Amino acid sequence: MPDRMFEHPRLTAIYDALEGDRSDLGVYVSAAQDVNARDVLDIGCGTGALALILASRGLAVIALDPAAGSLDVARRKPGAEQVRWIHRYAADVPPLEVDLVTMTGNVAQAIVDDDEWSRTLTRIHQVLRPDGCLVFETRIPARAAWTEWNRRDSFAVRDIAGVGRVESWVETTAVDGPLVSFRWTYVFAGDGEVLTSNSTVRFREREELESALVEHGFTVADIRDAPDRPGREMVFYAHKASGIGIR
């Protein structure tokens, strides 16, 4: 089931405000330009930030997410009528044909089961046109990001219009090999309500990801540093078949 932070109406309503600056999406907008994409599948679209940017640039965008609550927020945004929103998991993508598939943020890491990850890559390969491109990001395991997931380092307070002051922080709850579990806590000052959301992500090594992509019919064209988080994230560019790479 989707994590509570992506489903609970009070949390989905403040998600964008808590995320703040989305400069992380720039690499995906650039990728769409670099491959001259006409249509894009955004897997794990959440509240639709990337999907709406791409649609505003004239691309045909299909945006998919397993969290109905997040999609409800996305559908209410200006320009949402230009996007085809689909409530499904990544491995269950319907029949499509696109030039580019994206997985922003923690989407790839949130697919923790090996079989589901394999099914997802298989399905992405099927929906991409020849020389179509998959772009996704993932944290570098050696940086051990979870060691910074504690109240002291992550505590934040935001005043959100129409909501009031919201305190939030994240804490690691378990580390089991490549699997890391954590809990977000949100405190609404207006009425004192406290909401929590538990999540688990998988940290995959670069070699593991490269091998999985090749095994599923992709050519890894490039692996770049995330410009907004240098040294912390890898951005993978993988093509369905050998051909024109990312410029």
Side-chain angles (χ1 to χ4, degrees):
M1 297 294 292
D3 301 336
R4 195 182 193 196
M5 65 190 299
F6 304 123
E7 285 285 22
H8 192 286
R10 197 166 193 185
L11 296 180
T12 57
I14 64 172
Y15 181 82
D16 290 325
L18 294 177
E19 283 290 284
D21 172 41
R22 294 308 307 270
S23 58
D24 61 300
L25 301 179
V27 295
Y28 300 94
V29 176
S30 296
Q33 297 172 335
D34 292 341
V35 301
N36 297 315
R38 295 162 294 170
D39 30 43
V40 179
L41 170 63
D42 182 20
I43 292 177
C45 65
T47 56
L50 176 62
L52 292 168
I53 291 172
L54 295 177
S56 72
R57 292 169 175 252
L59 280 70
V61 182
I62 303 99
L64 178 147
D65 202 283
S70 293
L71 289 175
D72 287 343
V73 172
R75 290 188 178 106
R76 293 194 294 267
K77 292 182 176 181
E81 70 282 353
Q82 301 178 57
V83 178
R84 178 184 173 189
W85 307 99
I86 300 177
H87 180 215
R88 290 195 188 185
Y89 281 91
D92 301 319
V93 174
L96 298 170
E97 193 172 58
V98 298
D99 299 313
L100 174 67
V101 175
T102 61
M103 290 190 287
T104 66
N106 302 325
V107 172
Q109 285 190 260
I111 305 172
V112 299
D113 180 76
D114 285 336
D115 289 340
E116 185 181 3
W117 179 237
S118 177
R119 291 195 301 272
T120 297
L121 292 179
T122 296
R123 196 71 192 102
I124 290 172
H125 188 273
Q126 291 170 344
V127 303
L128 279 172
R129 294 191 177 97
D131 281 327
C133 187
L134 164 64
V135 182
F136 67 93
E137 64 189 87
T138 184
R139 296 182 184 90
I140 297 172
R143 287 301 302 265
W146 58 88
T147 61
E148 301 173 3
W149 298 348
N150 55 71
R151 194 180 193 281
R152 182 196 63 200
D153 293 333
S154 64
F155 183 81
V157 180
R158 291 179 176 83
D159 287 308
I160 301 175
V163 176
R165 191 181 70 188
V166 178
E167 299 177 356
S168 65
W169 64 91
V170 62
E171 297 173 291
T172 298
T173 55
V175 179
D176 182 10
L179 300 179
V180 178
S181 299
F182 53 95
R183 177 183 298 115
W184 276 99
T185 299
Y186 306 90
V187 181
F188 293 80
D191 58 11
E193 183 174 17
V194 178
L195 295 174
T196 59
S197 178
N198 295 303
S199 305
T200 298
V201 292
R202 189 180 192 99
F203 283 75
R204 295 181 174 91
E205 298 289 348
R206 171 176 174 153
E207 295 76 13
E208 179 184 359
L209 289 163
E210 288 185 278
S211 295
L213 288 166
V214 171
E215 180 183 342
H216 288 82
F218 292 93
T219 298
V220 179
D222 203 358
I223 303 172
R224 301 180 186 173
D225 213 17
D228 61 313
R229 287 149 294 163
R232 292 177 172 270
E233 303 261 350
M234 299 175 284
V235 183
F236 278 76
Y237 297 77
H239 285 266
K240 181 173 181 175
S242 59
I244 300 174
I246 295 289
R247 294 191 298 273

